[in-house]
Amino acid sequence: MKYDGYLIDLDGTMYNGNTVIDGAIDFVDRLNKAHIPYVFLTNNATKTQEEAAKKLIDMGFDIHPETLYTSAMATAAYLEVEAPGASVHVIGSDGLKSTLEAVGCVITDDKPDFVVMGLDTALTYEKLALGARLISAGATFISTNPDRKFPSDEGFLPGNGSLVSVLASTTDVDPIVIGKPEGIILEAAVRALGLQKERVLLVGDNYDTDIRTGLDNGVDTLHVNTGVTSAEEVKEQARQPEYMINQLSEWSVE
């Protein structure tokens, strides 16, 4: 089936760590040549839109920053609608903080309305302890994404979901989750494409996030066996993606 637009994951689909996955650049080049619109839909909340785009461009991808939509951006959009000008304590990267500040959020450690947690590669016990105290004091807990792990050049590393579970367990508070597989981020990305869901294909490597996003929200999915979830693990699931391939070079966009 030919699709009019694509939602494409990054980690494990376009690259692993700092290594481009075979066939990924060619796949994007073929979309460009066919004038098929796409949005990179990533749960990675550590970078701003421009930083995420620069990584791809530096790797050799012919893309524009406007094609990037991150869970940090989706979190900012959610807060902009639900709580304009909210005070927020951030456990996460400078990129996440600046993305939230760009929509009017006030970053603070003093009685915030929200605690927003994204992947923090400099996470410490003190940061977790402060987050727990703020949530227990009444701050609404938000997780940018639920990924338990992500692929890197050195193998799988702990993802935000694994670290969020520490605060959830400590406070007995389950966070509001923004990123895939939740519909919040998907609906925003589909709007960016300007297409009907039935004409869009979601491409990703992680069954629990990428594929479930499509299955739960009415978008066809293509699982690529280059990242988190193996083909064998996918086949064990009760619900299957529409398509599964080993490499993106196997997929025709026309």
Side-chain angles (χ1 to χ4, degrees):
M1 178 177 176
K2 182 180 182 298
Y3 290 89
D4 296 334
Y6 284 74
L7 300 175
I8 309 168
D9 177 55
L10 290 181
D11 294 272
T13 303
M14 294 289 100
Y15 53 73
N16 283 325
N18 293 310
T19 303
V20 177
I21 292 173
D22 288 345
I25 290 177
D26 176 68
F27 174 69
V28 173
D29 286 344
R30 287 187 283 124
L31 290 176
N32 290 336
K33 184 177 180 180
H35 302 291
I36 297 173
Y38 54 86
V39 168
F40 293 104
L41 183 62
T42 176
N43 270 358
N44 188 330
T46 62
K47 295 178 172 60
T48 63
Q49 184 183 48
E50 292 75 18
E51 289 169 343
K54 185 178 186 302
K55 177 171 182 174
L56 286 172
I57 293 168
D58 289 347
M59 284 179 160
F61 289 88
D62 181 16
I63 61 100
H64 300 285
E66 295 77 16
T67 59
L68 273 291
Y69 198 84
T70 72
S71 64
M73 295 168 64
T75 302
Y78 174 83
L79 287 171
E80 188 175 25
V81 171
E82 297 296 326
S87 59
V88 179
H89 173 72
V90 176
I91 304 173
S93 68
D94 289 340
L96 174 57
K97 292 176 184 177
S98 62
T99 300
L100 295 176
E101 286 178 322
V103 299
C105 291
V106 178
I107 308 301
T108 182
D109 298 338
D110 184 26
K111 300 179 181 178
D113 301 316
F114 295 87
V115 169
V116 173
M117 186 168 181
L119 182 64
D120 186 345
T121 56
L123 188 65
T124 63
Y125 183 87
E126 288 73 20
K127 290 182 180 181
L128 288 170
L130 176 57
R133 291 198 300 271
L134 295 173
I135 294 167
S136 297
T140 300
F141 187 18
I142 292 180
S143 169
T144 60
N145 63 291
D147 300 62
R148 294 180 297 105
K149 59 183 178 180
F150 62 93
S152 75
D153 294 332
E154 295 80 30
F156 289 114
L157 299 177
N160 188 53
S162 295
L163 306 175
V164 162
S165 66
V166 176
L167 286 188
S169 176
T170 302
T171 62
D172 292 321
V173 174
D174 292 326
I176 298 168
V177 179
I178 302 296
K180 297 177 287 186
E182 301 303 317
I184 296 172
I185 191 171
L186 177 77
E187 297 294 340
V190 171
R191 283 196 299 272
L193 278 176
L195 298 171
Q196 297 296 314
K197 287 183 181 180
E198 295 76 17
R199 303 305 308 160
V200 173
L201 183 67
L202 192 157
V203 183
D205 68 292
N206 188 326
Y207 182 91
D208 290 332
T209 56
D210 303 319
I211 303 308
R212 273 196 51 206
T213 298
L215 294 174
D216 293 349
N217 297 284
V219 172
D220 285 357
T221 54
L222 168 64
H223 187 274
V224 188
N225 304 327
T226 52
V228 170
T229 313
S230 68
E232 292 72 22
E233 290 171 320
V234 172
K235 290 173 183 177
E236 293 174 355
Q237 301 298 323
R239 295 185 297 166
Q240 292 291 300
E242 278 70 26
Y243 315 96
M244 183 162 60
I245 57 177
N246 289 318
Q247 290 189 330
L248 285 168
S249 58
E250 301 171 25
W251 184 257
S252 174
V253 301
E254 297 185 277

